[in-house]
Amino acid sequence: MNLDKLKEVLRDQPKFRFKQAWQAIFVDLIENWDDNTTLPKDLRDRLKEECPLKIKSTAFESNNTDTTKALILLEDKSQIETVLMQHKDGRNTVCVSCQVGCPVGCAFCATGTLGLGRNLTVSEIVLQVLFFARYLKKNQKENTRITNIVYMGMGEPFMNYDNVMASVKLLNDKDAFNIGARHISISTSGVVPGIQKFAKEPLQLNLAISLHATNDELRSSLMPINKRFGIDRVMQAVEEYKNDRDRQIMFEYLMMDNVNDREEHARELVELLGNDTSLYMVNLIRYNPTGKFRPSLPQNIKKFKNILMRAGIKTSERFAFGQDINAACGQLALKNKK
Ligand code: SAH
Ligand code: SF4
């Protein structure tokens, strides 16, 4: 599905035709232009030819079916992955990718080891959500709506800033997916100019920062981007965002055994977050092993969490969704490549 092609085909048509086609794609969720009854046949034939709606993919369901991962094949044969998480309370979250691979190359991340293929287009970002919107419609009787989006799949959102923001607008569009801005979160490894730009966006989106380490030496060894934008600069940008927007900020912290999970690291983190932590929350993420590191022991996660909580910092542990289908960042694509 290519929305630029759609616009091209409908360029000389009356405006309402575009609205009808848009509704057919995003509201009726048709997978074939013949399933539409409002557009004239010759137009549908052209659309079938030039803007096919089929999304080429394979879906993997986890044993406990709360997580479904899809591998989507793009026109140029690159593959991206996207994950649907169905929560008990009825929320449906889609985790989208924004690049093929990722140029940041974090040591713990399977996507990072793929290197950068390229940025995804707006259509390619949005079709991941479309894929699961169709999936839910076909496979479920209730809770078929996608309610939340996280940009936590493959790639660094702030290195594909314009396409990511354009895709956000489309997901938020009342005539398309109508997902509230407050239910859309973007995660960055700490691209400072991106954070500064993001602070000026009119929509009330959520920001997540992948911190993972509390001092520059350790962070640079895990995340090469830290050599360009060190912890102080990232924290300063976050601080400015916080003061500007008055919105909660989530810090993601991967728990890796004997790497960043010792009590001294927890104390360093408390210090780093400073005195006013009312808008901060820390999410301790269970590490999904990709070869190099081991996940932290449960008792060490508990100790780490307690130190943060005693300092008054809101702390949660991210529920490990879909371990059995490798639902962490980049892993399925890597497996398939091998
Ligand atoms: N590039 C962005 C967004 C995509 S990564 C970023 O880094 O923030 C989304 C999250 O998945 C990040 O917090 C990342 O650190 C985490 N992640 C990467 N590898 C992981 C793994 N093996 N297990 C669990 N989480 C992982
Ligand atoms: Fe890229 Fe994020 Fe993976 Fe780092 S963690 S390599 S920034 S996708």
Side-chain angles (χ1 to χ4, degrees):
M1 196 218 33
N2 182 331
L3 294 172
D4 292 328
K5 290 254 175 71
L6 179 78
K7 281 178 195 150
E8 220 175 278
V9 174
L10 297 175
R11 202 174 35 209
D12 306 324
Q13 297 282 332
K15 248 209 164 113
F16 68 89
R17 290 281 179 234
F18 185 80
K19 265 201 160 150
Q20 287 172 332
W22 198 257
Q23 150 118 18
I25 296 176
F26 292 111
V27 182
D28 306 335
L29 302 172
I30 61 162
E31 297 189 32
N32 189 323
W33 285 109
D34 283 333
D35 295 337
N36 171 276
T37 47
T38 51
L39 299 168
K41 172 132 190 353
D42 58 329
L43 188 57
R44 272 181 298 170
D45 285 342
R46 267 194 71 198
L47 286 166
K48 263 196 312 203
E49 192 66 33
E50 291 174 51
C51 180
L53 294 176
K54 194 172 162 47
I55 299 172
K56 283 198 191 126
S57 65
T58 340
F60 302 80
E61 233 166 85
S62 125
N63 287 334
N64 40 13
T65 66
D66 55 7
T67 311
T68 311
K69 186 156 188 161
L71 200 61
I72 295 180
L73 186 68
L74 302 173
E75 270 172 29
D76 69 349
K77 302 273 185 288
S78 332
Q79 290 182 338
I80 48 166
E81 54 162 49
T82 173
V83 183
L84 168 71
M85 292 163 279
Q86 294 174 263
H87 307 263
K88 296 235 161 22
D89 58 10
R91 281 178 305 134
N92 290 317
T93 302
V94 177
C95 173
V96 296
S97 296
C98 62
Q99 296 180 312
V100 182
C102 180
V104 178
C106 300
F108 46 76
C109 173
T111 306
T113 61
L114 296 174
L116 173 70
R118 62 175 175 86
N119 281 338
L120 295 186
T121 65
V122 181
S123 297
E124 288 167 336
I125 299 174
V126 168
L127 69 75
Q128 301 169 54
V129 182
L130 189 59
F131 174 84
F132 280 124
R134 292 174 182 177
Y135 178 90
L136 285 172
K137 189 184 168 196
K138 271 186 288 198
N139 294 292
Q140 291 229 149
K141 290 209 164 53
E142 47 186 24
N143 297 332
T144 54
R145 231 184 84 76
I146 288 167
T147 56
N148 297 65
I149 303 288
V150 293
Y151 285 76
M152 294 185 184
M154 302 166 77
E156 167 50 52
F158 289 169
M159 288 185 175
N160 185 14
Y161 193 94
D162 293 341
N163 289 352
V164 163
M165 287 320 295
S167 69
V168 163
K169 287 197 186 91
L170 221 152
L171 298 174
N172 179 244
D173 184 347
K174 297 250 172 327
D175 297 319
F177 289 106
N178 195 20
I179 299 165
R182 286 166 185 275
H183 296 150
I184 301 176
S185 304
I186 298 187
S187 172
T188 178
S189 55
V191 180
V192 167
I195 300 170
Q196 290 164 334
K197 219 164 150 187
F198 190 73
K200 306 276 180 271
E201 291 291 340
L203 291 173
Q204 300 273 307
L205 304 160
N206 301 308
L207 177 65
I209 306 283
S210 291
L211 192 61
H212 307 322
T214 48
N215 61 70
D216 280 322
E217 196 187 336
L218 180 59
R219 196 167 189 268
S220 294
S221 74
L222 297 170
M223 306 174 71
I225 194 167
N226 194 70
K227 291 177 201 141
R228 232 165 102 205
F229 306 112
I231 294 182
D232 279 353
R233 285 184 69 190
V234 173
M235 286 310 293
Q236 199 186 332
V238 168
E239 192 75 18
E240 281 163 19
Y241 171 88
K242 184 177 78 171
N243 297 337
D244 251 33
R245 302 303 297 253
D246 206 27
R247 303 263 309 143
Q248 181 160 289
I249 294 140
M250 182 171 89
F251 292 95
E252 293 159 280
Y253 198 94
L254 271 177
M255 295 297 285
M256 290 174 279
D257 184 39
N258 210 20
V259 173
N260 62 352
D261 67 346
R262 291 192 296 269
E263 292 179 35
E264 74 212 49
H265 296 126
R267 284 192 292 270
E268 214 169 32
L269 181 54
V270 169
E271 198 151 307
L272 186 66
L273 296 185
N275 292 327
D276 178 17
T277 56
S278 55
L279 285 171
Y280 290 158
M281 69 158 293
V282 174
N283 201 343
L284 301 176
I285 305 171
R286 197 156 312 172
Y287 181 60
N288 222 342
T290 59
K292 225 173 190 166
F293 305 101
R294 288 180 314 264
S296 298
L297 302 170
Q299 62 264 37
N300 291 343
I301 298 181
K302 204 166 162 196
K303 269 189 217 156
F304 198 98
K305 189 174 177 183
N306 279 340
I307 293 174
L308 299 182
M309 303 269 272
R310 271 202 304 273
I313 297 165
K314 276 179 249 129
T315 309
S316 62
E317 269 175 74
R318 190 184 287 169
F319 184 60
F321 266 108
Q323 287 263 4
D324 50 339
I325 51 162
N326 292 303
C329 188
Q331 292 186 53
L332 189 68
L334 185 73
K335 267 200 156 169
N336 226 286
K337 224 177 175 169
K338 281 180 189 159

